[in-house]
Amino acid sequence: VFPPRLCQLNSNFFVLKNKIEPGMSEENQKKSRLSRIVQILILALILVGFPAGSWFYLKKGADYRRANISELGDLGKFEPKGTFLNVEMMPASADSLRGKMLLIAAAQQAGDFENPGFIKQFNQLDEQYKNREDTRLLLLTGDSLQSRPGWVSEKNTWVFFAPSGLQEKAFGLDFGDKKLPCWVLVDIKGTIRKYYQADEFEKLVLQSSMIAPGKQRESIELKREKEK
């Protein structure tokens, strides 16, 4: 007894052939009908179930992304002025920061950047953004930064410093009730999108990846999903 012959493609649809041979016993006929039902169910799963599952998966991802983007606002313009320092502690113009996505770390004093928790956060960002030309990390402190922190090497070329100290509403920043140290996300147009407390760092990483410019955005998001 041969099993039902598999479907063939005809006019873009699967057509199931299940020919019952003459002289087949009643038991074998039942098996043949059962086999045909199973094949129909499998085809239904392939033609309907998988596409539906993919649609729900994509919709869930889109809703998740939309919810996170909706948390980002227009909180004014970041206005880089004067001279900054690059990772070699050499003068760099404000133009070095314009047109870039900025991740800003602000603290009352330079010593706050020596906190192990902050260093861990920096290392995570550095791993993700260090090879990008369209992203910069800026360190702002309430006192004057005299030297480069020891955990920053000359290879971290995406890191910049503000040597003049963080004054009230410096560069258009307004921390309001946020307690320093904290993080700030600025998009490539210079719009301040959100302020984050230190314990909201994971949200910063996620939301910055969603507005990251250029073709590498999707690869960053994929990397974040793998890390979860």
Side-chain angles (χ1 to χ4, degrees):
V1 177
F2 295 97
R5 283 173 288 186
L6 195 59
C7 316
Q8 69 178 19
L9 189 61
N10 184 15
S11 300
N12 297 324
F13 291 92
F14 283 109
V15 179
L16 184 65
K17 290 186 175 181
N18 186 46
K19 185 178 180 181
I20 300 177
E21 300 293 340
M24 289 179 60
S25 65
E26 182 177 350
E27 181 181 352
N28 286 337
Q29 289 183 23
K30 290 182 179 180
K31 289 182 179 179
S32 179
R33 294 190 188 97
L34 179 60
S35 177
R36 180 170 56 184
I37 293 173
V38 170
Q39 290 182 356
I40 292 173
L41 292 176
I42 292 175
L43 287 175
L45 178 63
I46 294 174
L47 297 176
V48 179
F50 289 166
S54 298
W55 182 84
F56 281 113
Y57 177 81
L58 292 173
K59 184 178 184 300
K60 182 178 179 181
D63 290 344
Y64 179 72
R65 176 183 174 83
R66 191 178 302 112
N68 275 279
I69 293 295
S70 69
E71 295 180 7
L72 304 178
D74 183 344
L75 306 179
K77 289 291 184 180
F78 177 76
E79 303 169 355
K81 298 178 180 179
T83 301
F84 294 82
L85 298 176
N86 61 21
V87 74
E88 297 177 347
M89 303 305 287
M90 299 295 293
S93 71
D95 289 338
S96 303
L97 303 177
R98 293 193 177 97
K100 315 289 186 183
M101 184 177 76
L102 300 178
L103 304 172
I104 302 173
Q108 292 285 4
Q109 53 190 7
D112 292 337
F113 292 137
E114 300 295 340
N115 181 285
F118 176 81
I119 296 175
K120 180 179 179 181
Q121 291 177 349
F122 166 78
N123 289 334
Q124 184 174 341
L125 290 174
D126 187 59
E127 180 66 24
Q128 199 147 282
Y129 291 108
K130 63 184 177 183
N131 295 321
R132 294 178 62 99
E133 292 297 327
D134 51 26
T135 305
R136 296 286 181 264
L137 186 146
L138 178 64
L139 301 183
L140 297 176
T141 66
D143 56 2
S144 180
L145 188 64
Q146 301 296 328
S147 61
R148 183 179 70 224
W151 45 268
V152 179
S153 75
E154 293 184 1
K155 294 181 180 180
N156 304 128
T157 56
W158 73 299
V159 179
F160 285 75
F161 309 93
S164 59
L166 178 60
Q167 306 301 324
E168 180 70 17
K169 296 186 178 181
F171 311 115
L173 297 172
D174 185 359
F175 295 97
D177 59 354
K178 293 290 183 181
K179 297 180 180 180
L180 300 181
C182 70
W183 291 91
V184 188
L185 176 61
V186 179
D187 66 20
I188 60 173
K189 295 181 179 180
T191 302
I192 301 169
R193 304 302 300 273
K194 191 173 181 179
Y195 296 84
Y196 303 82
Q197 294 288 186
D199 60 1
E200 297 176 306
F201 175 75
E202 289 302 321
K203 182 72 85 170
L204 165 70
V205 175
L206 174 64
Q207 293 177 337
S208 66
S209 73
M210 290 182 172
I211 67 168
K215 298 179 179 179
Q216 293 181 328
R217 182 178 65 190
E218 290 80 7
S219 64
I220 291 175
E221 292 181 4
L222 179 60
K223 182 176 181 179
R224 288 286 308 142
E225 289 299 321
K226 289 181 179 179
E227 290 176 352
K228 290 181 179 179

Coordinates of all heavy atoms in Angstrom, one line a residue, residues 106 175-182 196-198:
A106 N 26.6 63.6 32.7 CA 26.7 64.8 33.5 C 26.9 64.4 35.0 O 26.1 63.6 35.5 CB 25.5 65.7 33.3
F175 N 18.3 70.2 33.8 CA 18.1 68.9 34.4 C 16.9 68.9 35.3 O 16.5 67.8 35.7 CB 19.4 68.5 35.2 CG 20.6 68.3 34.3 CD1 21.5 69.4 34.1 CD2 20.8 67.1 33.7 CE1 22.6 69.2 33.3 CE2 21.9 66.9 32.9 CZ 22.8 68.0 32.7
G176 N 16.4 70.0 35.6 CA 15.1 70.0 36.5 C 15.3 69.3 37.8 O 16.3 69.6 38.5
D177 N 14.5 68.3 38.0 CA 14.6 67.5 39.3 C 15.4 66.3 39.1 O 15.5 65.5 40.1 CB 13.1 67.1 39.7 CG 12.4 66.3 38.7 OD1 13.0 66.1 37.6 OD2 11.3 65.8 39.0
K178 N 16.1 66.2 38.0 CA 17.0 65.0 37.8 C 18.3 65.2 38.7 O 18.8 66.3 38.8 CB 17.5 64.9 36.4 CG 16.3 64.5 35.4 CD 15.9 63.1 35.7 CE 14.8 62.6 34.7 NZ 14.4 61.3 34.9
K179 N 18.6 64.2 39.4 CA 19.8 64.3 40.3 C 21.1 63.8 39.5 O 21.0 62.8 38.8 CB 19.6 63.4 41.5 CG 18.5 63.9 42.4 CD 18.3 63.0 43.6 CE 17.2 63.4 44.5 NZ 17.0 62.6 45.7
L180 N 22.1 64.6 39.6 CA 23.4 64.2 39.0 C 24.1 63.1 39.9 O 23.9 63.1 41.1 CB 24.3 65.4 38.8 CG 23.7 66.5 38.0 CD1 24.7 67.7 37.9 CD2 23.3 66.0 36.6
P181 N 24.8 62.2 39.3 CA 25.0 62.0 37.8 C 23.8 61.5 37.1 O 23.0 60.7 37.6 CB 26.2 61.1 37.8 CG 26.0 60.2 39.0 CD 25.5 61.1 40.0
C182 N 23.7 61.9 35.8 CA 22.7 61.4 35.0 C 23.1 61.4 33.5 O 24.2 61.9 33.2 CB 21.4 62.2 35.1 SG 21.4 63.9 34.5
Y196 N 18.0 60.9 31.7 CA 17.9 59.6 32.4 C 18.7 59.6 33.7 O 19.9 60.1 33.7 CB 18.5 58.5 31.5 CG 18.0 58.3 30.1 CD1 18.4 59.1 29.1 CD2 17.0 57.3 29.9 CE1 17.8 59.0 27.8 CE2 16.5 57.2 28.6 CZ 16.9 58.0 27.6 OH 16.4 57.9 26.3
Q197 N 18.1 59.1 34.7 CA 18.9 58.9 36.0 C 19.8 57.7 35.7 O 19.7 56.9 34.8 CB 17.9 58.6 37.1 CG 17.0 59.7 37.5 CD 17.8 60.9 38.2 OE1 17.1 61.8 38.7 NE2 19.1 60.9 38.3
A198 N 20.8 57.6 36.6 CA 21.8 56.6 36.4 C 21.2 55.2 36.4 O 21.7 54.3 35.7 CB 22.9 56.6 37.6

